[in-house]
């Protein structure tokens, strides 16, 4: 079945450090890919998305590029801030395998990021 | 807009008790869903609905019921609570389908003793 694998956390960085959180996927065809972020005590919110190969999603200084050849969607930020401390989830929606089939959002297990001043 | 609201924020139940987790959205979204979040497991889909009167099972539906009588509301019922249902529950909604941005509620933290 469709699945998402994220790098194990937690990740601890100092302010202004470079961030990479790895995400690879297994899916039929070419899924849509997402990064969601969960700040402490809150629900998830969409950070960025990409819907086809070589697309780059970007938001709030974060970027991720849809790499079909490596089935990856790694999240990067050049200079993290304390306010970026959160749990980051990679997710996918696979295209329907059959007409009338349902689509579901499949999440990775999440990577907790802590940024220290 | 209030967005997606969930009540209660916290709940403690005894094994065998039943309860309903409420979820409402004021964005006229067709798609609504329930997830549970457990440590090291990410989010797992319990049930979802593509519109009023239509519901379907997700990855972990056992022990839970849902209904969708209106576009706005999507309650989740625990029929006979078990300790394995201790979790944080999130409701989400989106315009159209699951491919669009999901808007999540703040969550309900449930403990079953």
């Amino acid at each position: 079945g469709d699945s998402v694998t994220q790098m194990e956390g937690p990740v601890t960085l100092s302010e202004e450090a470079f961030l990479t959180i790895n995400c690879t996927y297994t899916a039929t065809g070419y899924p849509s890919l997402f990064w969601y972020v969960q700040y402490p005590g809150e629900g998830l919110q969409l950070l960025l998305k990409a819907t086809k190969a070589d697309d780059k999603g970007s938001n709030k200084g974060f970027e991720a590029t849809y790499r079909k050849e490596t089935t990856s969607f790694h999240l990067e930020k050049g200079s993290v801030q304390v306010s970026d401390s959160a749990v980051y989830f990679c997710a996918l929606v696979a295209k329907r395998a059959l007409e009338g089939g349902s689509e579901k959002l499949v999440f990775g297990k999440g990577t907790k990021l802590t940024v220290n001043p | 807009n209030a967005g997606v609201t969930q009540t209660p924020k916290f709940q403690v139940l005894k094994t065998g008790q039943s309860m309903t987790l409420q979820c409402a959205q004021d964005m006229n979204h067709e798609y609504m869903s329930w997830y549970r979040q457990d440590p090291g497991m990410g989010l797992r889909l319990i049930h979802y609905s593509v519109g009023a009167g239509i519901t379907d099972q997700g990855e972990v539906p056992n022990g839970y019921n849902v209904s969708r009588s209106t576009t706005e509301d999507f309650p989740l019922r625990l029929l006979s609570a078990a300790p394995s249902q201790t979790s944080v529950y999130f409701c989400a909604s989106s315009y159209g389908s699951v491919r669009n941005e999901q808007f999540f509620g703040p969550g309900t933290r449930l403990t079953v003793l």
Side-chain angles (χ1 to χ4, degrees):
Chain A
D2 304 327
S3 65
V4 174
T5 302
Q6 288 182 237
M7 65 185 286
E8 295 281 331
V11 174
T12 302
L13 296 173
S14 297
E15 208 164 23
E16 299 184 1
F18 184 85
L19 169 70
T20 300
I21 300 178
N22 291 337
C23 171
T24 58
Y25 67 88
T26 301
T28 304
Y30 303 113
S32 294
L33 301 173
F34 306 82
W35 277 100
Y36 278 83
V37 59
Q38 183 180 29
Y39 297 104
E42 299 183 8
L44 281 71
Q45 55 186 271
L46 180 65
L47 182 60
L48 53 84
K49 64 184 274 188
T51 59
K52 61 183 187 296
D54 300 324
D55 265 2
K56 177 185 281 188
S58 61
N59 187 24
K60 299 181 181 180
F62 291 88
E63 293 184 340
T65 301
Y66 190 142
R67 302 287 188 197
K68 179 183 66 173
E69 60 279 2
T70 56
T71 62
S72 64
F73 193 54
H74 305 321
L75 182 68
E76 297 182 335
K77 187 174 185 182
S79 176
V80 294
Q81 304 301 310
V82 173
S83 58
D84 293 327
S85 297
V87 181
Y88 293 82
F89 292 91
C90 186
L92 67 81
V93 175
K95 290 181 170 53
R96 289 186 181 89
L98 298 171
E99 185 63 32
S102 61
E103 296 178 323
K104 297 182 180 66
L105 186 59
V106 176
F107 286 92
K109 295 183 178 181
T111 302
K112 182 176 182 179
L113 170 67
T114 299
V115 180
N116 294 320
Chain B
N1 285 350
V4 179
T5 58
Q6 292 184 238
T7 56
K9 290 186 70 69
F10 302 94
Q11 183 70 49
V12 178
L13 293 177
K14 294 180 179 178
T15 297
Q17 288 185 314
S18 62
M19 79 160 294
T20 299
L21 279 62
Q22 301 292 344
C23 173
Q25 51 89 11
D26 60 358
M27 297 173 281
N28 203 32
H29 285 167
E30 297 93 337
Y31 186 91
M32 295 186 74
S33 55
W34 277 102
Y35 293 88
R36 59 178 290 172
Q37 183 178 30
D38 302 294
M41 301 288 290
L43 275 77
R44 293 181 291 170
L45 180 65
I46 304 171
H47 285 286
Y48 67 98
S49 169
V50 299
I54 306 169
T55 64
D56 206 347
Q57 296 181 351
E59 181 185 0
V60 288
N62 292 340
Y64 308 94
N65 274 357
V66 292
S67 60
R68 184 96 180 268
S69 56
T70 67
T71 299
E72 295 79 16
D73 300 300
F74 190 44
L76 178 72
R77 297 183 187 84
L78 280 69
L79 308 173
S80 178
S84 60
Q85 294 178 304
T86 294
S87 187
V88 180
Y89 291 84
F90 288 99
C91 178
S93 73
S94 67
Y95 172 74
S97 78
V98 70
R99 295 187 166 276
N100 296 319
E101 178 179 1
Q102 299 297 303
F103 292 83
F104 283 81
T108 295
R109 183 174 294 274
L110 175 68
T111 301
V112 182
L113 302 175

